[in-house]
Amino acid sequence: MELTQLRYFLRVYRERNICNASEGLNVTQQAVSRQIQKLEQELGVELFVRTPRGVKPTVYADRLAEKAQKVLPELDAFVYDLRARGSEVTGVVNLGIRCWLMSKEHLLRYDVLAAFSNAYPRVKLLWQNDTPRALLEGVRSGRYDLVVTGMPEDPTGLELTPLRSSRWFMLMSRRNPLADKEILYTEDLAGRRLILADDETASRNSILRRLVGKEPPVFVGVKDFVFDLIGQQIEGENALMLTTGQVLDMFNPERFAVVPLEAEFLDTALYLVRRKETAHSPAENALYQHLLENWSKKTQQ
């Protein structure tokens, strides 16, 4: 059901005549009739009975009109306020997002960014995926205004706002014996080859602390998330990669698997991160609030 359909319906309901309604709406009679027919087909009921003098509303039309007359004014006021607010904010805002988070699984949904651009048409939104280290270096240097990433190892000078949490998984070849397990524990990582970003120091240290007295993993560092190269290491060297569950769609599921990792010792939260004690532009503040309202865990359950 579209707002246009409701507006056309209400006009016909009030006029009791499609010709008069079309003149008031400044559209053709065919356009009005087409929208009414679509609405009737979608609802599965007849809204108007055609008569020689116009149309007569059915009981279903009476009930729909009662609801629409309450809802449409509120929606119109909301749209007007949104457009007015958006037209007042101008500028450019740079957003950085940790690799893997904007995937087909939509841990962070693409349409949230599109909605921001629609609400703030005079703000140019630039965003890109990056590694944790590059994100933090970027926000400190001013290359990024706002980033979405995990807990920084050194949060000095940064404003951190909890956004949501994600679960950790291990990405591996289907041929790996661990691929048949329902869940992995830290002990399963002893002696394994683990692929981690070069700047995942906190994750490395957490794993090593949990494996004291056992054979430590062999960490395989990666500077860039090149899927083909990672896939070659996972299959060719039987390596595992610590990641969120949103990456499986980037790899052939017939060749690769993800197994949940019991990883309460890892910080699984995502944060909105920006510089402290810095004058934030209206465009940045608008994006900050928009993401907090639309990417937080509670808004996507």
Side-chain angles (χ1 to χ4, degrees):
M1 184 183 300
E2 300 176 359
L3 292 180
T4 299
Q5 293 174 341
L6 286 179
R7 291 192 176 93
Y8 284 18
F9 160 77
L10 276 182
R11 193 71 184 226
V12 173
Y13 183 85
R14 291 164 181 163
E15 298 285 350
R16 300 294 200 269
N17 187 287
I18 290 180
C19 179
N20 294 344
S22 66
E23 291 178 359
L25 293 166
N26 197 28
V27 297
T28 65
Q29 294 183 47
Q30 291 80 2
V32 175
S33 296
R34 187 162 52 249
Q35 293 298 332
I36 297 299
Q37 289 172 2
K38 288 182 178 179
L39 187 57
E40 289 179 325
Q41 291 173 0
E42 183 176 344
L43 296 176
V45 298
E46 187 178 33
L47 296 173
F48 298 104
V49 177
R50 277 65 177 174
T51 70
R53 295 185 178 181
V55 294
K56 179 181 178 181
T58 66
V59 63
Y60 302 109
D62 291 335
R63 293 171 63 182
L64 179 60
E66 180 182 359
K67 297 291 184 182
Q69 287 169 350
K70 295 178 181 178
V71 172
L72 270 179
E74 295 181 0
L75 287 175
D76 287 337
F78 172 75
V79 171
Y80 176 82
D81 177 70
L82 199 62
R83 288 175 176 171
R85 182 182 64 174
S87 65
E88 295 171 356
V89 180
T90 63
V92 178
V93 58
N94 290 277
L95 171 67
I97 303 170
R98 183 171 179 171
C99 290
W100 310 120
L101 299 181
M102 300 289 286
S103 72
K104 293 180 182 178
E105 291 294 329
H106 302 314
L107 178 63
L108 301 180
R109 303 194 320 270
Y110 287 96
D111 59 357
V112 168
L113 299 183
F116 175 82
S117 295
N118 290 333
Y120 296 89
R122 299 179 64 187
V123 174
K124 185 176 182 180
L125 172 60
L126 303 175
W127 71 273
Q128 69 180 64
N129 281 307
D130 221 330
T131 61
R133 175 181 294 171
L135 290 175
L136 296 177
E137 290 176 351
V139 76
R140 284 194 164 102
S141 67
R143 184 163 62 90
Y144 291 122
D145 300 301
L146 185 66
V147 300
V148 181
T149 188
M151 170 66 77
E153 188 172 1
D154 178 13
T156 304
L158 299 176
E159 175 187 336
L160 306 176
T161 303
L163 186 63
R164 57 188 295 142
S165 60
S166 60
R167 193 174 184 184
W168 287 106
F169 292 79
M170 279 293 175
L171 176 71
M172 67 192 71
S173 167
R174 286 282 183 189
R175 298 194 302 269
N176 194 305
L178 297 179
D180 294 329
K181 289 200 168 189
E182 294 184 0
I183 189 170
L184 295 180
Y185 297 90
T186 315
E187 292 73 17
D188 294 314
L189 308 182
R192 303 284 179 176
R193 295 181 65 84
L194 299 184
I195 299 174
L196 289 178
D198 285 345
D199 53 351
E200 289 281 6
T201 306
S203 298
R204 295 182 187 219
N205 292 339
S206 296
I207 292 172
L208 290 174
R209 283 195 297 269
R210 291 285 291 262
L211 291 176
V212 171
K214 300 182 182 296
E215 183 181 359
V218 176
F219 292 107
V220 182
V222 291
K223 293 182 179 180
D224 298 305
F225 287 85
V226 180
F227 299 151
D228 289 342
L229 295 179
I230 291 175
Q232 291 172 15
Q233 293 186 72
I234 291 175
E235 289 192 304
E237 302 180 20
N238 212 23
L240 311 175
M241 188 174 87
L242 179 67
T243 183
T244 59
Q246 279 66 40
V247 302
L248 188 56
D249 62 293
M250 302 177 185
F251 294 88
N252 186 341
E254 295 182 359
R255 295 166 50 193
F256 301 94
V258 287
V259 180
L261 175 68
E262 181 280 318
E264 294 182 357
F265 61 95
L266 293 174
D267 180 13
T268 61
L270 290 176
Y271 297 86
L272 286 174
V273 182
R274 57 183 183 176
R275 294 180 300 282
K276 278 184 180 179
E277 302 176 357
T278 300
H280 303 295
S281 70
E284 180 188 337
N285 286 330
L287 177 62
Y288 176 87
Q289 189 60 39
H290 181 82
L291 297 183
L292 191 59
E293 293 173 356
N294 294 280
W295 268 353
S296 66
K297 184 67 173 180
K298 63 181 179 181
T299 63
Q300 301 197 17
Q301 290 179 335

